[in-house]
Amino acid sequence: MNSLRTSIVIFFIFLSLVAHSSGDLIEDVCKKSTDYKLCVSSLRADPRSSSADKKGLVRIMLQLSLGKAKDIYNQTLIMLKQPMEPILKQCLQICRDNYDLAVSQITNSIKDLDENFDMVNSDISSAITCEESFTERPVRKDPLKARSDDFFSFYRNNIEFVRRFQIIVKSLSLAPSY
C-alpha cells in the first residue's frame, strides 16, 4: 500500500513539473516576441501547446496564421460576390490574390519546418497584406483592415519565432544539412 501511495505522489509531482515547465517554455518563447500578450494568449488557447517543444510552438503559430490568412481570403471571396464600385472590386481582387499567395506560402512554411528549415523564414516574409491596394488607388476604406492587422501581428510574431528557433537549432549544431 505504501508503494502505491508513493507512486501516486511521484506521479502527481511529475505531472506538476511537466505542466509547470511547458508554461515556462511558452513564456520563454514569447518573452522576446513583438507582442508578448498575443503570443502567450494564442499559445495558451491551443491545447497542443502544453506538450509542445519550441518547434511545436512555431508550428502552432504558423497554423494559427494560416487560419487567419484563409479567413481573410474567404472573406474577400464573399465580398467580391456583392455589388460594388469597380475600384473597390479591383482592390479586393488584389487582396484575394495576395491572401491566396499567403495561404500557399504559409502552407509551404509549415512543410518546410520539417523538410527545408532555411526556407521557412523567406516564405513567411513574402506573405503580404492587401492594405497597399487601398492606398495606391483613389483612397478607399479597407474593409479588411482589422483582420489584416490581426494577421500581420501573427506574421511578425512568426518571424520572431522562426528566427529564434533557427538560432537555437544552429547553436546546438542540430540543424540538418540540406
Side-chain angles (χ1 to χ4, degrees), residues 13-65:
I13 290 171
F14 176 76
L15 188 62
S16 70
L17 289 174
V18 169
H20 179 68
S21 67
S22 67
D24 286 344
L25 181 60
I26 291 172
E27 296 221 2
D28 288 345
V29 168
C30 292
K31 205 176 287 182
K32 295 180 182 176
S33 72
T34 56
D35 189 337
Y36 174 80
K37 287 181 183 180
L38 175 68
C39 178
V40 169
S41 65
S42 299
L43 288 174
R44 291 213 192 283
D46 192 305
R48 298 171 297 166
S49 66
S50 64
S51 61
D53 59 4
K54 289 181 182 179
K55 187 175 185 180
L57 296 178
V58 172
R59 181 181 311 286
I60 290 167
M61 287 300 281
L62 285 170
Q63 290 169 338
L64 290 171
S65 290

Side-chain angles (χ1 to χ4, degrees), residues 104-127:
S104 173
Q105 290 170 332
I106 295 170
T107 300
N108 288 336
S109 291
I110 293 169
K111 290 177 189 170
D112 289 341
L113 194 57
D114 291 323
E115 298 169 9
N116 189 0
F117 189 70
D118 291 333
M119 293 300 296
V120 173
N121 196 19
S122 63
D123 282 352
I124 298 169
S125 297
S126 58

Side-chain angles (χ1 to χ4, degrees), residues 84-101:
M84 64 186 70
E85 62 181 307
I87 192 75
L88 186 56
K89 189 171 195 112
Q90 288 175 346
C91 292
L92 285 171
Q93 288 169 334
I94 292 170
C95 289
R96 179 202 56 210
D97 295 344
N98 287 349
Y99 278 99
D100 185 37
L101 180 62

Side-chain angles (χ1 to χ4, degrees), residues 129-141:
T129 64
C130 65
E131 191 172 341
E132 297 150 3
S133 68
F134 289 93
T135 58
E136 289 177 359
R137 307 184 183 290
V139 178
R140 296 286 187 263
K141 183 178 177 189

